Amino acid sequence: MKGRLLVVLIYAFRDARGTWYGEPDAVLRGIQPGRGILTLPPTVPGQDPGLFDGQQVKVLYAACDLEASQTSYRLDDGGSFVATWHVHELLSPAYHRVPTASAAAREAATARLEIGSSQRHYSLHADLLAEGRAEITVVISTADGVICGELAGELDTGDLSEVSRLIASAAPIASAPTVSAVDTSAATSPAPAKATRPGQAWTSEAIAYLEEHYRAGRGPEQLADTLGRSEKSIRWKLYGLKLAPYPGDLVPDPRPETEPEAPKAYTVDSKRQLHPNAYKPWEPEDEKRLAERCSQGASLPELSQEFGRNEGAIASRLLKIQAEGPAADNAWEYGG
């Protein structure tokens, strides 16, 4: 899609039973996905357990046009990627960080900045997390305290300067006319704009509408129609907001276990049936005789038969002892 920015996202993952979650069939526009392992922490004390708490899952990530969440996940190899909203809603119960520092330490690991003018007030709150990461919240309000904008997320502190530059670069093209304030004194909120495609990010208006009308007695099917989302998406979101029980009936059954692959017939004994000296150490006398036979013009197959080793082992040894002869010249074909 011309002009659309593709972001590298974790768009699907597989659990230990082989069941896929997220959008494993997402359109990647010809880009090969990356793969990694994500080890999720155990249940946070006081929190309801998530489906994947304490588990190790295999993730797929690639540049795609699915809607990104505000949370990144650090893989076991050190890579860090933002997840799609769908994946984040599944993994987030297990990804809450356990606060272990004392109150004084937490206070020292918190940064607060505020600037303002006669019309706008800007505040930044940053909590330093483990492994060089920070959770940042930016709130924009009017001079009399009415919130008119909010930005929240988690990232590596080393990325802060580049993210700042990116936001500054995007400001001229992202600016839009000021929207008039909405009267929120009504008893119920108006329905927000419908989601237009699967996986579209939840807006704060849509979440507020969902919470209010679910508590008022509207069911997931009605809310799905109003918000332009699937009933499945509504039920997962209600669970994420702790308004509904875990939708266990939406979790796909595990795939049937596949037959384990037969072990490869690759043992020392089997090798030595063909080459009696396979994997045995080379003696100095053997190396000396090998060099002599090579200089006499013996071929690799002849040397393999004579010394009881495969041609690759012969070629490697010829190169190591810097032998001379036709067999040594041909040894380079084995990757020397």
Side-chain angles (χ1 to χ4, degrees), residues 63-289:
C64 54
D65 59 1
L66 297 173
E67 291 293 338
S69 68
Q70 296 177 337
T71 301
S72 60
Y73 292 82
R74 180 176 291 275
L75 306 186
D76 291 4
D77 62 5
S80 183
F81 300 94
V82 173
T84 65
W85 273 102
H86 188 183
V87 169
H88 174 61
E89 288 174 352
L90 294 171
L91 296 181
S92 59
Y95 208 69
H96 293 297
R97 296 184 178 273
V98 182
T100 56
S102 64
R106 289 196 300 269
E107 184 67 20
T110 299
R112 296 182 178 86
L113 297 174
E114 296 186 6
I115 58 174
S117 65
S118 59
Q119 297 180 334
R120 283 286 190 271
H121 181 84
Y122 304 87
S123 65
L124 180 147
H125 183 108
D127 286 322
L128 300 182
L129 307 174
E131 300 178 349
R133 299 183 64 75
E135 185 176 13
I136 298 176
T137 302
V138 177
V139 177
I140 304 98
S141 59
T142 62
D144 53 357
V146 177
I147 295 177
C148 52
E150 183 177 3
L151 180 65
E154 179 184 321
L155 75 169
D156 289 324
T157 54
D159 295 330
L160 279 171
S161 60
E162 292 300 321
V163 171
S164 300
R165 290 175 54 190
L166 184 64
I167 294 175
S169 300
I173 61 174
S175 59
T178 302
V179 180
S180 300
V182 178
D183 182 7
T184 58
S185 60
T188 59
S189 59
K194 286 187 175 182
T196 57
R197 61 181 181 277
Q200 184 170 334
W202 283 83
T203 64
S204 57
E205 293 81 6
I207 293 175
Y209 184 91
L210 176 67
E211 292 180 325
E212 177 182 347
H213 289 267
Y214 180 74
R215 288 192 173 103
R218 297 194 67 185
E221 184 177 357
Q222 295 173 298
L223 292 167
D225 182 64
T226 303
L227 296 172
R229 298 176 182 271
S230 67
E231 184 178 350
K232 176 180 177 181
S233 175
I234 295 294
R235 291 181 62 193
W236 276 117
K237 192 61 179 177
L238 289 170
Y239 168 68
L241 296 171
K242 301 187 183 304
L243 296 176
Y246 176 72
D249 58 304
L250 298 182
V251 179
D253 294 330
R255 296 181 181 179
E257 295 185 1
T258 57
E259 292 293 331
E261 295 183 2
K264 296 181 179 179
Y266 188 88
T267 64
V268 172
D269 290 339
S270 65
K271 284 291 185 178
R272 285 180 176 170
Q273 290 179 7
L274 297 175
H275 306 289
N277 294 322
Y279 304 111
K280 290 182 179 179
W282 284 84
E283 300 294 339
E285 295 79 7
D286 295 332
E287 292 182 338
K288 181 179 179 180
R289 186 162 59 89

